[in-house]
Amino acid sequence: MMRVGRIERYVMGRVLGSVGAALAVISAVILLVEFVDLSRTVGVRVDVGVGQVFWLTLLRSPSLIQILLPFVFLFGGIGAFVGLNRRSELVAMRAAGVSAWRFILPSAGAAFAIGVLAIVALNPLAAALNGRFEAERGQLMQNYLGDIPQDIWLRQGDERTQIVIHAKTRDTVQGYVRLRGVSLFIYTKSPTGAPIFRQRIEASEARLMPGFWQLKDVREATAGESSVHSDTLSIRSTLDAESAMERFSSPEAISFWRLPDAIRLTEQAGFSAAGYRLRLFQLLATPLLYAAMSILAAAFSLRLARLGGLAGLAGAGVALGFVLFFFNQFAGALAKAGIIPLFAAAWAPAVVALLSGLSLLFFTEDG
């Protein structure tokens, strides 16, 4: 059983403090870069003040920070262990017979726990703020983009029916999704699974209520029959307001808790849910990735300072972190293209980082 004594708590505290400092620095850089980008893309097109741009920056930044959190643990861990090494504290610990595993594993465990907290709490918060960012930016840019076509396509369905929904514009009124200039193409599934066109419905407006679409100024046209006009019509819906809005969002903008429903509804509608499944697997691998980055940071920082080459080794650790980041993006692209399995693409970066750190530690500590 791993014992967390005074030495372990001291090293863990130094590592977490350094991780906090790295988080502050990276967050400040993200805020600055995002503020400049929004000032360039939004501020020069619509009449907004500095306060509004900064508010949009605050809404957008948590999702960007979440992407770079593995670097926070890598940079913070390297900074902490290099500092302990340069002050000869690691030398004193190891001379007293303390194995490096005693103070590395508690830090890795803390990183794993923070990873769990990140996916169950930080990710939903970042997704919610990102959704609000998209909505507020869309409202600000509405007049600027007013002349540009904004066709909307949705799809819903179950085991028997598929409905393709096309609309010219969309907006959100009192929490409800409202579409204008709506066309619904209704298909039934044959025994072989092939879609059979059954009906087309035109409506001036469609509002998504809990469990159904409320249509206004409706004209129904069935194959081989004359059209029928009605003032209102209700059609059962398998979507809710949040899942409908998620169809306009990337998988990264959907919270961890909403991903299983997004996968189910997307597959029911006949679409591929590969992007959502990949995102879910990546989030599940997040705690292991954070722990692996913590171990990797220690592995590149334990070389005795008097032997020289510590700065070069730490720099190699930083470079390997960037390599793992691009490897993660590359594996995700291959998975979305169907070349490699989604599960392997999501877990491979974390496993490679963990095995790299453990291999280097075994070589350093045990020869």
Side-chain angles (χ1 to χ4, degrees), residues 25-366:
V25 172
I26 290 179
S27 299
V29 172
I30 289 175
L31 285 171
L32 178 60
V33 173
E34 188 65 17
F35 181 82
V36 173
D37 182 65
L38 289 175
S39 298
R40 179 178 57 85
T41 57
V42 178
V44 300
R45 292 173 170 83
V46 296
D47 186 16
V48 295
V50 175
Q52 288 177 292
V53 175
F54 186 69
W55 172 245
L56 290 176
T57 302
L58 292 179
L59 293 177
R60 173 64 173 161
S61 296
S63 59
L64 299 178
I65 292 173
Q66 187 181 16
I67 297 175
L68 297 180
L69 274 179
F71 288 102
V72 169
F73 285 94
L74 179 63
F75 297 159
I78 289 177
F81 285 110
V82 167
L84 292 172
N85 203 341
R86 291 190 181 279
R87 290 189 297 271
S88 300
E89 293 180 82
L90 293 184
V91 176
M93 293 178 194
R94 299 170 81 178
V98 177
S99 172
W101 297 104
R102 278 186 57 184
F103 51 80
I104 290 176
L105 292 182
S107 300
F112 186 92
I114 294 174
V116 174
L117 183 63
I119 64 174
V120 301
L122 176 60
N123 174 261
L125 175 62
L129 293 178
N130 189 68
R132 186 169 178 181
F133 162 79
E134 294 291 345
E136 293 195 10
R137 187 183 65 171
Q139 290 179 357
L140 291 173
M141 300 288 287
Q142 186 173 6
N143 293 332
Y144 177 76
L145 299 175
D147 297 332
I148 299 178
Q150 302 180 36
D151 285 8
I152 307 301
W153 290 92
L154 287 173
R155 189 169 176 176
Q156 67 174 49
D158 51 29
E159 294 78 7
R160 296 176 298 176
T161 306
Q162 294 287 324
I163 302 178
V164 178
I165 304 170
H166 170 256
K168 295 181 179 179
T169 60
R170 70 175 174 91
D171 55 19
T172 304
V173 179
Q174 299 178 347
Y176 297 107
V177 175
R178 183 174 63 182
L179 307 177
R180 295 185 181 276
V182 184
S183 299
L184 291 86
F185 304 89
I186 302 176
Y187 297 83
T188 56
K189 291 184 178 180
S190 67
T192 60
I196 301 174
F197 177 74
R198 189 184 74 186
Q199 189 179 27
R200 174 173 176 171
I201 300 176
E202 301 282 347
S204 61
E205 178 183 307
R207 180 174 295 189
L208 181 58
M209 310 298 288
F212 65 95
W213 287 99
Q214 182 68 51
L215 308 180
K216 293 184 180 180
D217 190 16
V218 184
R219 185 173 297 276
E220 303 176 65
T222 304
E225 299 181 7
S226 59
S227 62
V228 178
H229 181 269
S230 56
D231 293 332
T232 61
L233 180 67
S234 297
I235 294 181
R236 179 178 174 272
S237 175
T238 57
L239 302 173
D240 55 30
E242 189 171 356
S243 60
M245 295 301 294
E246 285 171 354
R247 299 299 177 88
F248 311 116
S249 305
S250 64
E252 289 74 16
I254 303 176
S255 72
F256 171 75
W257 303 108
R258 293 284 306 176
L259 278 171
D261 287 338
I263 293 172
R264 177 179 57 83
L265 292 173
T266 301
E267 291 180 340
Q268 281 183 354
F271 289 111
S272 171
Y276 297 128
R277 288 188 179 277
L278 177 63
R279 179 59 177 168
L280 180 61
F281 290 147
Q282 288 175 336
L283 288 175
L284 292 175
T286 294
L288 181 63
L289 180 61
Y290 290 177
M293 286 298 188
S294 181
I295 294 174
L296 198 63
F300 280 95
S301 308
L302 294 182
R303 181 182 177 87
L304 297 178
R306 61 182 175 82
L307 298 178
L310 179 60
L313 196 60
V318 173
L320 181 59
F322 283 103
V323 171
L324 288 172
F325 177 79
F326 288 110
F327 173 63
N328 186 24
Q329 300 298 315
F330 182 67
L334 292 180
K336 291 177 181 178
I339 299 176
I340 61 176
L342 299 173
F343 184 85
W347 286 87
V351 172
V352 169
L354 180 63
L355 293 180
S356 300
L358 291 177
S359 299
L360 187 55
L361 279 177
F362 281 127
F363 177 78
T364 304
E365 289 298 301
D366 305 323

